[in-house]
Amino acid sequence: MEQKSNNIVDIRYLQTGEASATNELGMREMQAKAYEARDKRFLLIKAPPASGKSRALMFIALDKLEHQGLKRVVVAVPEKSIGRSFQNTKLKPYGFFADWEVAPYFNLTDVKNEKDKKGRFIEFFRQSRTKILVCAHATLRNGMKEISDEDFNDTLLAIDEFHHTSADANSNLGDVVRRVMNNSTGHIVAMTGSYFRGDGIPVLRVEDEARFYPVTYNYYQQLNGYKYLKNLVLGYHFYHGSYLDHIHEVLDTTKKTIIHIPSVNARASTGLGKYAETDEIMKKIGTLEYKDYNTGIYHVRTQDGRLLKVADLVEDDMKERNMVQGYLQRMKHKDDMDIIIALGTAKEGFDWQWCEVCLTVGVRGSLTEVIQIIGRCTRDCKGKETAKFVNLIAMPEAEQSDVKVAVNDFLKAITASLLMEQVMAPSWRFKTVKDNEEDDDDKGNPLRTLIVEGLKPLSSEKTRLIVQEQLDDLKAAILQDDMVVKAISGSTTAETITQALIPKVIRERYPDLSEGEVEEVRQRVLLDTMIKGNDIVDEKGEPIDMSKVGDDEQESEGNRLIKIANRFINIDKLSINLIDTINPFQRAYEVLSKSVDAPTLKIIQDTIAEQKFDLTLEQAITIFKGPLKEYVKEHDGRVPSIEDPNPQVREMAAALQMMKNLKARKLAGLEFENEE
C-alpha cells in the first residue's frame, strides 16, 4: 500500500558501514570516540538514537571501575522499557577486558522486580558485593531523598536521555546532578540524542555545562555510516476533521510501525478517549481474532488475510502494561511484532530495530520529542533500506475556536521537519580566503569546504565551540522562536530575518557574546541553514562527485554551482552579502504553499498577518467602524490588502481579518459590510 504523505525531507546515505564496524575492542565508531575521553570526570555524550550510547557507557563505566578507582555505577533511564538497553551484555568475546553484568536484584527496571525499588536503591550504597545498579529517573530522584551527597563519592552516575534534566531550580533531576557535581567526588556520564529541550529552559547552567567534556557524534555520521539503511524520509499528511477518518490513508500495515496517538488534552484528540481511539485504530488495521493473555499481544487479521501482532501500550492497567512491556523487552525476531500503538511511551531509548515507520498523530510539544520518535525507526538492520516518519496533522480551519494556536502548531511541525533536514544532512565547513591559505586540515572531505567572501573569522574559543559543537542546538532555538515561526509564512523580508531575528535569538542564547562574536556566529548559522544538504552541480545541473576530483581537475570542471533558495549560485562567488538577501526559510514557505490547499494557506497567512499587528478586539472594532469603512467607500468597495506598502492600510487589513475570524468562529456576532 502506498503511503500518501507529502515527503518534505528525503535524504539518501552512502551505506559506508563505518557506524557499525567495530575495532579491536569491539567498539563502533561513536563508542571509540567516547572511550577516548573515559578519564574525564564529567562527560557529555551527544549522539543520535541507535548510535550505541548504551554500550559506550558500558565500556566507560567498566574502565572507571577497573582502572580509575571508582566503586560503583548507577545508571538512570527515563522509563523502565529502556532498561533493556543496559541488560547483561557480553563484551569480552569482541576484545574488551570485561563483560557488563547487572545483578537481577539491582536491575530496578525489570518489570518482574517492582517491590521496594527505593529501598533497594538505598541498599545498593550500603553493600560492596555488587557494582552496578540500573533504575528509572523517578527511582533515582526518590532514592536521593534518603541518602547523603557523600554516598556518591567514588560513584559513576550515568544519566540516559539527559535532556530530562533542567537548570530550573525546581527540577529534581537537575538538582541530583548539581549535588553529585558539587558535593561529592562522583563522576557523571550524561547521554542524550537531542540536547535541546522544548520548553526553552537550558539543560544545565552555563557554569555547570562548562565543566563537562563534550563528545559529539552527529546524525549524518551515524546514518551515513550504516550498513543497510540508506534512505530517510520525513513526511506530513494534512487532514480536515478527525484523524481517525484519515489514518488509513497513511497506515501501511505491511511495514513495522509505531503509531503514537495524541494525548487526551491535545488538540488532535477526538474527544472519544484514548481507549476508544485505540479500538478504532485496531479496526483500521483489521479484524481482531484473539488476544494472547500470556503476553497481552493482540492478533489482528488484515483484509488481505495477514495475521498481525499488535501491542497496546495505551492501556493504563499496570498488570497488562507490564505484561506487554515484558514481551517487548524479550523480542528477538522480526516476526515477534508488527504494530505498536502508544501514547507517551515507546519514544526515548525504545529499541525495536525492525521498526520502519513512525506514524505520529498531532503536533508534538517539542523538537526533542520529534527527534526521539524519529530515532525509533532509524536503527540499522538487515532488510530495512528506508525509514520513514509520518506526521498526521490537522489543517487550520477558520471555524476553529482558536485558529491562531492551530496555525502556530502547523508552522511548528514544518519547522521541526526543517531542523531534522538540517541535522541529518551532511555538514559544510565555511572558510575565509585567509583560512584556506593557512589551514591544511581538509583531508578526507574537500567536498564539504566552501570559501565565502566577507566571512568573518572565528575570533574566540567561545564562537569556535558554538560553531563546531552547538550549531544544531542554536538552530533549534531559532526555529522555536515565535517571531521566526511567524516569519516562515513568507511575508517577512529576508533582511529582517537574517539581520534582525536570527541575531536576536543568538544574543538571547549567548548573552556573553560581543556584537562581533554574534556576527561571526550569525554568518555561519545562516550559511549552514541555507546550504545544508545541497549538492555541487555543473552548468547542466548534474551533481559533481567532488570526492573523485583532484585539485588540478577541479579547475577544469568549469563553473561549479550550488542551489540556494531556488537560485543556482557559482560557489566560487559565494559572499555573505549575497546570502543576506535570501530568506533561509524559503523552503518552509514552499512546503506550505505546495502541501496545503489554497483556503488553508490563506488562513495561515491572514492569521500571521493579524498576529503581527497584535491588535486588541477593541482596536480592531474601532478601525473596522471608522478608517476601514472610509477606505472601502473611497476605493469603490475594494478592501485593504495586507501587502499594501502603506502601514496604515496594512493595519486596516489586519483589523478586517480579525473581524472575519471572529465572525467565522461565532464569537463576535457583528454584522459585516463589504465582506467581499
Side-chain angles (χ1 to χ4, degrees):
M1 168 180 159
E2 184 70 22
Q3 292 195 5
K4 303 171 185 175
S5 61
N6 299 289
N7 294 341
I8 296 175
V9 176
D10 192 339
I11 304 172
R12 295 191 174 273
Y13 300 97
L14 297 179
Q15 297 173 291
T16 67
E18 292 176 5
S20 53
T22 57
N23 64 12
E24 68 279 0
L25 294 177
M27 298 178 187
R28 286 153 57 177
E29 185 179 34
M30 185 282 288
Q31 294 158 354
K33 184 176 181 181
Y35 191 67
E36 288 176 6
R38 62 191 178 277
D39 60 337
K40 303 298 182 184
R41 184 180 168 200
F42 304 131
L43 185 60
L44 174 60
I45 301 174
K46 296 164 60 177
S51 59
K53 293 190 291 296
S54 304
R55 192 164 294 199
L57 179 274
M58 295 177 191
F59 292 126
I60 293 168
L62 290 170
D63 186 86
K64 286 184 180 291
L65 289 173
E66 185 71 20
H67 300 127
Q68 299 182 41
L70 270 66
K71 296 177 181 177
R72 63 183 73 86
V73 175
V74 174
V75 181
V77 299
E79 60 180 72
K80 288 181 295 185
S81 63
I82 303 175
R84 177 186 183 192
S85 301
F86 296 95
Q87 63 191 2
N88 291 351
T89 304
K90 295 291 184 185
L91 301 175
K92 290 166 70 174
Y94 306 100
F96 200 60
F97 64 79
D99 292 326
W100 175 264
E101 295 178 345
V102 184
Y105 185 77
F106 288 116
N107 181 359
L108 306 185
T109 64
D110 190 329
V111 294
K112 299 176 183 177
N113 217 358
E114 288 291 303
K115 293 183 180 178
D116 194 26
K117 289 185 286 188
K118 181 178 175 181
R120 275 179 286 151
F121 178 89
I122 298 167
E123 182 184 345
F124 176 73
F125 288 87
R126 308 287 181 255
Q127 56 85 50
S128 57
R129 235 175 22 262
T130 300
K131 304 292 186 184
I132 300 171
L133 175 140
V134 180
C135 67
H137 286 177
T139 306
L140 172 66
R141 292 193 302 266
N142 292 330
M144 286 292 287
K145 296 174 184 176
E146 307 297 330
I147 65 174
S148 68
D149 297 351
E150 291 77 15
D151 283 324
F152 260 91
N153 287 344
D154 303 323
T155 298
L156 170 63
L157 173 60
I159 300 182
D160 196 19
E161 310 300 353
F162 189 59
H163 52 271
H164 281 262
T165 63
S166 166
D168 187 277
N170 297 317
S171 167
N172 292 328
L173 196 55
D175 183 57
V176 169
V177 172
R178 289 189 289 274
R179 285 173 58 185
V180 173
M181 292 180 74
N182 299 322
N183 304 328
S184 80
T185 63
H187 292 210
I188 296 176
V189 174
M191 300 171 287
T192 180
S194 46
Y195 192 48
F196 39 84
R197 290 167 58 93
D199 54 16
I201 300 172
V203 174
L204 287 174
R205 295 170 179 167
V206 175
E207 62 271 21
D208 290 335
E209 185 169 354
R211 297 170 67 186
F212 276 83
Y213 183 84
V215 173
T216 302
Y217 187 72
N218 66 42
Y219 283 82
Y220 181 73
Q221 288 174 293
Q222 167 73 3
L223 294 168
N224 202 53
Y226 274 164
K227 184 176 179 181
Y228 303 107
L229 185 66
K230 65 179 181 182
N231 190 207
L232 174 66
V233 177
L234 307 184
Y236 289 82
H237 186 78
F238 306 113
Y239 69 91
H240 290 288
S242 167
Y243 81 84
L244 292 173
D245 295 331
H246 297 274
I247 195 168
H248 67 280
E249 297 167 5
V250 289
L251 175 59
D252 185 348
T253 59
T254 67
K255 305 292 185 186
K256 303 292 185 182
T257 302
I258 299 177
I259 302 171
H260 279 108
I261 68 171
S263 71
V264 292
N265 297 319
R267 278 174 288 279
S269 174
T270 63
L272 298 173
K274 59 185 181 180
Y275 297 137
E277 290 182 11
T278 302
D279 289 342
E280 286 299 313
I281 292 171
M282 289 272 196
K283 292 175 185 176
K284 303 291 184 184
I285 296 170
T287 303
L288 175 63
E289 292 220 342
Y290 68 95
K291 177 181 178 181
D292 185 337
Y293 287 95
N294 293 314
T295 62
I297 302 303
Y298 293 88
H299 293 250
V300 181
R301 183 78 64 182
T302 64
Q303 287 187 344
D304 57 2
R306 291 171 292 116
L307 190 63
L308 304 183
K309 293 175 182 174
V310 181
D312 174 9
L313 288 179
V314 177
E315 176 60 60
D316 281 332
D317 182 90
M318 192 56 68
K319 184 179 178 182
E320 287 280 332
R321 194 183 188 87
N322 285 343
M323 188 190 304
V324 174
Q325 287 187 336
Y327 177 86
L328 295 177
Q329 287 180 354
R330 296 188 299 272
M331 289 189 302
K332 300 291 183 185
H333 306 288
K334 182 178 181 179
D335 294 335
D336 288 341
M337 183 53 54
D338 295 291
I339 296 175
I340 296 172
I341 304 173
L343 200 160
T345 56
K347 295 176 186 175
E348 296 172 327
F350 180 74
D351 184 4
W352 181 27
Q353 67 188 81
W354 298 284
C355 177
E356 300 168 273
V357 178
C358 289
L359 174 53
T360 301
V361 182
V363 177
R364 298 290 114 174
S366 73
L367 294 169
T368 296
E369 190 175 1
V370 172
I371 287 177
Q372 289 293 346
I373 292 173
I374 292 172
R376 299 317 101 216
C377 66
T378 55
R379 294 178 184 267
D380 199 31
C381 72
K382 189 174 182 178
K384 182 168 75 174
E385 291 191 352
T386 298
K388 186 165 188 177
F389 167 77
V390 181
N391 202 175
L392 197 57
I393 301 174
M395 287 194 186
E397 300 184 47
E399 292 76 19
Q400 286 174 304
S401 60
D402 197 340
V403 71
K404 186 187 301 183
V405 174
V407 166
N408 286 348
D409 278 353
F410 196 79
L411 293 176
K412 190 190 296 181
I414 302 301
T415 57
S417 73
L418 286 180
L419 178 68
M420 296 315 300
E421 184 174 46
Q422 293 287 312
V423 301
M424 292 183 170
S427 296
W428 293 87
R429 186 178 179 197
F430 305 106
K431 295 166 64 173
T432 65
V433 175
K434 184 179 179 183
D435 287 334
N436 198 44
E437 291 170 350
E438 296 177 352
D439 188 359
D440 252 351
D441 190 25
D442 279 336
K443 295 174 186 175
N445 206 9
L447 166 61
R448 294 293 165 191
T449 300
L450 291 178
I451 312 301
V452 183
E453 183 183 341
L455 181 66
K456 288 184 175 292
L458 298 174
S459 63
S460 68
E461 190 58 37
K462 286 186 294 186
T463 55
R464 275 190 289 275
L465 180 66
I466 293 168
V467 169
Q468 292 170 8
E469 300 287 344
Q470 301 173 359
L471 212 55
D472 287 332
D473 300 339
L474 178 55
K475 286 182 186 177
I478 290 169
L479 286 165
Q480 290 180 105
D481 182 79
D482 286 344
M483 295 179 72
V484 170
V485 170
K486 293 174 185 176
I488 286 173
S489 69
S491 55
T492 303
T493 66
E495 288 80 5
T496 298
I497 296 171
T498 61
Q499 296 171 23
L501 299 185
I502 290 177
K504 175 187 80 74
V505 179
I506 295 171
R507 290 188 195 98
E508 289 171 353
R509 189 171 178 86
Y510 303 104
D512 58 332
L513 293 183
S514 68
E515 283 305 303
E517 289 172 325
V518 168
E519 177 61 13
E520 294 165 22
V521 174
R522 180 196 80 90
Q523 290 183 354
R524 282 161 178 82
V525 167
L526 195 55
L527 284 163
D528 209 52
T529 303
M530 300 286 289
I531 294 175
K532 199 113 184 223
N534 286 305
D535 288 320
I536 296 175
V537 299
D538 59 24
E539 290 171 306
K540 297 178 182 177
E542 296 294 327
I544 299 174
D545 186 352
M546 296 294 290
S547 63
K548 297 179 181 177
V549 178
D551 288 340
D552 295 334
E553 296 171 281
Q554 286 186 32
E555 297 304 321
S556 65
E557 287 293 332
N559 287 336
R560 291 167 298 161
L561 310 173
I562 192 161
K563 188 177 183 181
I564 304 175
N566 294 329
R567 297 192 223 173
F568 279 104
I569 296 170
N570 189 323
I571 68 168
D572 296 322
K573 296 179 181 176
L574 271 180
S575 75
I576 280 295
N577 291 338
L578 173 65
I579 301 298
D580 265 338
T581 64
I582 300 173
N583 181 353
F585 308 122
Q586 177 64 28
R587 178 155 162 68
Y589 183 70
E590 290 172 4
V591 169
L592 284 175
S593 57
K594 291 177 182 176
S595 302
V596 304
D597 53 35
T600 302
L601 183 61
K602 188 167 191 315
I603 290 169
I604 293 169
Q605 291 172 327
D606 288 344
T607 303
I608 289 172
E610 175 189 322
Q611 286 178 262
K612 282 179 181 175
F613 284 90
D614 200 23
L615 295 172
T616 65
L617 176 58
E618 290 75 16
Q619 288 171 325
I621 291 173
T622 300
I623 293 170
F624 178 79
K625 290 182 175 179
L628 178 58
K629 282 193 174 183
E630 289 298 319
Y631 180 93
V632 171
K633 187 175 181 181
E634 291 173 6
H635 292 81
D636 299 322
R638 180 166 59 84
V639 296
S641 168
I642 204 70
E643 305 295 335
D644 196 286
N646 186 329
Q648 291 177 318
V649 176
R650 292 200 300 272
E651 186 178 61
M652 284 187 273
L656 176 60
Q657 188 57 47
M658 177 181 265
M659 302 304 287
K660 284 185 176 182
N661 289 345
L662 287 170
K663 182 186 179 186
R665 283 168 249 149
K666 301 179 181 178
L667 295 179
L670 297 171
E671 292 298 326
F672 286 171
E673 298 175 14
N674 299 311
E675 273 198 345
E676 298 302 314

